[in-house]
Amino acid sequence: MKLASTTTSAGATGPSWVLLVAAVLVSGLLLAGPALHRRHPVAWWLLLGFPAAAFRVVQTWRPLMAGCGLAVSRRPALTVVSGLVGNGAPPPQPRVPHRGHIQPTVGGFRLLVRLLPGQVPEDFVKAAPAMAEDWQVHAVRVTSWKPGVVRIVASASDPLAAPRVPKQRGHGRLLQVAVGVLETGAVWVVDLRRVPHWLIVGATRSGKSTLINALVAGLAPQHVALVGIDCKGGMELSLYEPRLSALATNREQAVRLLAALVDLTLDRMSVCRAARVRNVWGLPDKERPVPVVVIVDEIAELFLVASRSEKDEAQAAGTALIRLAQLGAALGVFLVVAGQRVGSDLGPGVTALRAQLGGRVCHRVADPGTAEMALGDLNPDALKAAQAITPEQAGTAVLASGDGWERARSHLITEAEAEAVAAEYAHLTPVLSELHVEAP
């Protein structure tokens, strides 16, 4: 009996010690919470913020679905039967959409929800503000995941208010650059191998030039050739001239440079055909030509015309850009086309070129036509989000591709920093003799 009593006492002591240790750990986390939040926000979120948010989601799910009109009542027959069998017991709870596991992200969480019969994703999109309010998070985004399933992504705070871009180790993958932060808190990465051609639009002081600075600063240390076309006399891209393999500063030069780039792609096509490969990435490393990234600033300057001769030049430039966009991805030539204003009034060439630029970035714009040109053919919701960007949100943009759309903000790279990076890596500038076209 004495032994049994001792064993029982030890068994009772075990759980109490576990509870005590757990209470101490939780208390320590709560006390250290503010300092942890300031110094290590991601750790704070995973240890304290996310568990609290997940608890709120679980607790409010059923009443939230009912309040937003997303719950479906049981069949009337079941209600009658429950009253007869249960002697006036409450009727069965309404059916609510099935919620998947709540998964943490860097600054929020995400979950999948299976729709009930008759529901559509737009029903959940309308309920997103109510979800954010009930879950006490900054914002909730709802997107269609697959037929019958939506994905809900919540952001605990606004990561675009003070973007934090982690330092990259080394230079990363070729043609991949971390340029800012996404609204989910994840790093905004421009990967030219995955999305080879980009259109970037934005009004003055909207953040367009800052994004280009960040992109060039990330590409400068890599083994790539940078080519600039800046028909405003080189006012923007001349900052990077030490790192540029070629620079055109007016439309006449641009037409010749673009023609030379087309010839370069055709030469590479012949090399690939002779080697019986479908693109330059199938060539051996020693035989693979250097990738070329063509940055076109202020695209409107290429297409605006005032005379017959200028019309011919604009048409030639547009045709060359379209050919580069069609052929370039497989042959190691990539386009980044930027402008304050891009509209169909610049001519059919702009619309045809836009169709070839799979990546789109829209900052605050001065006219709705530019936002429509950048995002209208990809996603109407992205267009609405871009038109809502205010002048105070400099650097904030909506980026879209075939994979969907997101809000993002580029990392601040000043002109002085961009110029310093270009000078630092000037020795890596490839010499492409075929692009040095003499004036006629």
Side-chain angles (χ1 to χ4, degrees):
M1 289 295 293
K2 188 175 183 179
L3 179 61
S5 175
T6 305
T7 305
T8 304
S9 176
T13 305
S16 64
W17 274 106
V18 172
L19 292 175
L20 180 61
V21 171
V24 171
L25 289 176
V26 171
S27 300
L29 285 174
L30 291 175
L31 291 173
L36 187 66
H37 194 188
R38 288 193 304 271
R39 298 180 182 180
H40 306 284
V42 175
W44 174 88
W45 170 249
L46 295 177
L47 291 173
L48 292 174
F50 171 69
F55 178 77
R56 286 193 293 269
V57 173
V58 174
Q59 288 295 106
T60 63
W61 184 254
R62 181 173 289 278
L64 177 62
M65 293 296 100
C68 294
L70 298 174
V72 178
S73 300
R74 304 284 182 174
R75 287 179 296 176
L78 291 179
T79 303
V80 173
V81 170
S82 68
L84 293 176
V85 175
N87 295 321
Q93 292 284 340
R95 293 175 60 198
V96 297
H98 177 70
R99 170 181 51 78
H101 295 297
I102 307 170
Q103 301 177 346
T105 60
V106 175
F109 58 86
R110 63 175 179 264
L111 64 148
L112 298 179
V113 177
R114 182 170 296 280
L115 309 185
L116 295 175
Q119 293 181 337
V120 293
E122 287 72 17
D123 297 334
F124 285 79
V125 172
K126 295 176 182 177
M131 295 179 192
E133 187 70 24
D134 274 22
W135 299 341
Q136 299 176 29
V137 294
H138 169 70
V140 169
R141 277 266 314 277
V142 180
T143 56
S144 180
W145 181 252
K146 63 180 182 179
V149 179
V150 295
R151 182 175 70 165
I152 297 177
V153 179
S155 301
S157 58
D158 187 4
L160 306 186
R164 299 172 180 229
V165 178
K167 294 181 180 179
Q168 299 184 83
R169 296 181 179 179
H171 303 317
R173 282 184 52 197
L174 183 66
L175 296 169
Q176 187 181 86
V177 179
V179 297
V181 64
L182 302 176
E183 65 178 341
T184 58
V187 179
W188 176 11
V189 175
V190 173
D191 188 348
L192 295 176
R193 288 288 302 274
R194 190 174 66 86
V195 183
H197 307 308
W198 287 80
L199 174 64
I200 302 172
V201 299
T204 302
R205 303 186 68 81
S206 66
K208 173 174 61 69
S209 298
T210 300
L211 174 56
I212 295 176
N213 288 347
L215 185 60
V216 173
L219 289 172
Q222 302 184 23
H223 183 57
V224 301
L226 302 177
V227 174
I229 297 176
D230 182 359
C231 291
K232 293 194 299 182
M235 293 173 59
E236 295 287 341
L237 299 186
S238 59
L239 290 173
Y240 323 123
E241 193 162 10
R243 186 58 181 84
L244 298 180
S245 296
L247 174 64
T249 59
N250 57 54
R251 184 157 49 193
E252 183 181 357
Q253 294 176 2
V255 171
R256 295 198 303 271
L257 179 55
L258 288 169
L261 285 165
V262 171
D263 291 341
L264 179 144
T265 59
L266 296 178
D267 291 342
R268 294 184 175 188
M269 186 184 297
S270 300
V271 171
C272 291
R273 188 167 57 246
R276 304 183 68 82
V277 295
R278 300 182 66 179
N279 53 56
V280 295
W281 311 109
L283 296 170
D285 292 346
K286 294 183 179 180
E287 299 178 16
R288 184 181 305 135
V290 62
V292 179
V293 180
V294 183
I295 303 171
V296 182
D297 191 61
E298 203 46 70
I299 185 66
E301 291 295 325
L302 274 178
F303 286 91
L304 287 173
V305 298
S307 64
R308 174 70 183 184
S309 61
E310 289 185 351
K311 183 177 181 180
D312 294 340
E313 283 183 348
Q315 185 173 359
T319 301
L321 280 172
I322 293 170
R323 295 193 68 188
L324 288 174
Q326 291 174 337
L327 304 173
L331 300 170
V333 179
F334 307 91
L335 291 179
V336 177
V337 178
Q340 295 185 35
R341 187 177 67 84
V342 180
S344 57
D345 59 310
L346 298 177
V350 173
T351 304
L353 176 62
R354 186 274 306 265
Q356 300 293 331
L357 306 178
R360 314 283 177 79
V361 180
C362 183
H363 297 82
R364 178 183 57 83
V365 293
D367 65 293
T370 297
E372 177 72 32
M373 176 65 75
L375 303 172
D377 62 325
L378 290 181
N379 195 301
D381 292 334
L383 178 60
K384 294 177 183 176
Q387 292 172 335
I389 299 174
T390 64
E392 292 76 24
Q393 296 174 305
T396 301
V398 171
L399 62 108
S401 64
D403 299 331
W405 68 275
E406 293 182 273
R407 290 175 71 247
R409 187 174 181 181
S410 57
H411 184 45
L412 177 61
I413 302 290
T414 65
E415 294 180 355
E417 290 172 330
E419 196 169 8
V421 169
E424 180 182 357
Y425 296 103
H427 63 284
L428 297 181
T429 305
V431 177
L432 300 178
S433 57
E434 55 266 55
L435 300 184
H436 294 169
V437 182
E438 298 296 334

